[in-house]
Short mmCIF file of all heavy atoms in Angstrom, two decimals:
data_model
loop_
_atom_site.label_atom_id
_atom_site.label_comp_id
_atom_site.label_asym_id
_atom_site.label_seq_id
_atom_site.Cartn_x
_atom_site.Cartn_y
_atom_site.Cartn_z
N ALA A 57 0.53 8.47 10.68
CA ALA A 57 -0.13 8.74 12.00
C ALA A 57 0.75 9.83 12.76
O ALA A 57 0.19 10.65 13.37
CB ALA A 57 -0.21 7.52 12.80
N ARG A 58 2.09 9.69 12.64
CA ARG A 58 2.92 10.65 13.39
C ARG A 58 2.85 11.98 12.79
O ARG A 58 2.82 12.96 13.53
CB ARG A 58 4.38 10.12 13.32
CG ARG A 58 5.46 11.01 13.96
CD ARG A 58 5.25 10.95 15.46
NE ARG A 58 6.34 11.84 15.91
CZ ARG A 58 6.37 12.40 17.07
NH1 ARG A 58 5.31 12.48 17.82
NH2 ARG A 58 7.44 13.24 17.46
N GLU A 59 2.76 12.14 11.42
CA GLU A 59 2.61 13.28 10.76
C GLU A 59 1.26 14.05 11.14
O GLU A 59 1.27 15.22 11.44
CB GLU A 59 2.58 13.07 9.17
CG GLU A 59 3.79 12.76 8.65
CD GLU A 59 3.72 12.38 7.18
OE1 GLU A 59 2.63 12.22 6.67
OE2 GLU A 59 4.72 12.26 6.36
N ARG A 60 0.31 13.29 11.28
CA ARG A 60 -0.98 13.79 11.70
C ARG A 60 -0.95 14.29 13.11
O ARG A 60 -1.47 15.41 13.40
CB ARG A 60 -2.13 12.77 11.55
CG ARG A 60 -2.55 12.63 10.13
CD ARG A 60 -3.61 11.57 10.04
NE ARG A 60 -3.90 11.27 8.63
CZ ARG A 60 -4.83 10.44 8.32
NH1 ARG A 60 -5.68 9.90 9.11
NH2 ARG A 60 -5.10 10.21 6.99
N SER A 61 -0.26 13.50 14.09
CA SER A 61 -0.26 14.05 15.43
C SER A 61 0.65 15.22 15.60
O SER A 61 0.33 16.12 16.32
CB SER A 61 0.28 12.82 16.32
OG SER A 61 1.70 12.57 16.13
N LEU A 62 1.73 15.32 14.81
CA LEU A 62 2.57 16.54 14.84
C LEU A 62 1.98 17.73 14.30
O LEU A 62 1.83 18.84 14.75
CB LEU A 62 3.86 16.31 13.96
CG LEU A 62 4.93 15.38 14.75
CD1 LEU A 62 5.98 15.14 13.76
CD2 LEU A 62 5.30 15.92 16.09
N SER A 63 1.08 17.48 13.29
CA SER A 63 0.32 18.58 12.69
C SER A 63 -0.83 19.01 13.51
O SER A 63 -1.10 20.36 13.78
CB SER A 63 -0.30 18.09 11.29
OG SER A 63 -1.20 19.14 10.74
N ALA A 64 -1.46 18.20 14.24
CA ALA A 64 -2.51 18.57 15.23
C ALA A 64 -1.83 19.28 16.46
O ALA A 64 -2.35 20.36 16.83
CB ALA A 64 -3.24 17.32 15.81
N ALA A 65 -0.72 18.86 16.91
CA ALA A 65 0.02 19.53 18.08
C ALA A 65 0.37 20.99 17.53
O ALA A 65 0.29 21.92 18.23
CB ALA A 65 1.11 18.76 18.39
N ARG A 66 0.91 21.04 16.42
CA ARG A 66 1.24 22.45 15.82
C ARG A 66 0.17 23.29 15.65
O ARG A 66 0.29 24.54 15.96
CB ARG A 66 1.90 22.26 14.45
CG ARG A 66 3.50 22.54 14.46
CD ARG A 66 4.12 22.51 13.13
NE ARG A 66 4.77 21.25 13.06
CZ ARG A 66 4.52 20.30 11.98
NH1 ARG A 66 3.69 20.73 10.96
NH2 ARG A 66 5.19 19.20 12.03
N SER A 67 -0.99 22.90 15.26
CA SER A 67 -2.18 23.65 15.03
C SER A 67 -2.79 24.09 16.51
O SER A 67 -3.28 25.25 16.62
CB SER A 67 -3.32 23.08 14.31
OG SER A 67 -3.83 21.92 15.00
N GLN A 68 -2.56 23.24 17.41
CA GLN A 68 -3.04 23.65 18.71
C GLN A 68 -2.14 24.67 19.50
O GLN A 68 -2.54 25.48 20.18
CB GLN A 68 -3.11 22.44 19.73
CG GLN A 68 -4.30 21.51 19.34
CD GLN A 68 -4.25 20.31 20.28
OE1 GLN A 68 -3.43 20.04 21.04
NE2 GLN A 68 -5.39 19.44 20.13
#
Side-chain angles (χ1 to χ4, degrees):
R58 178 74 176 149
E59 287 172 351
R60 288 184 185 183
S61 69
L62 288 175
S63 175
R66 248 184 261 126
S67 66
Q68 286 179 354

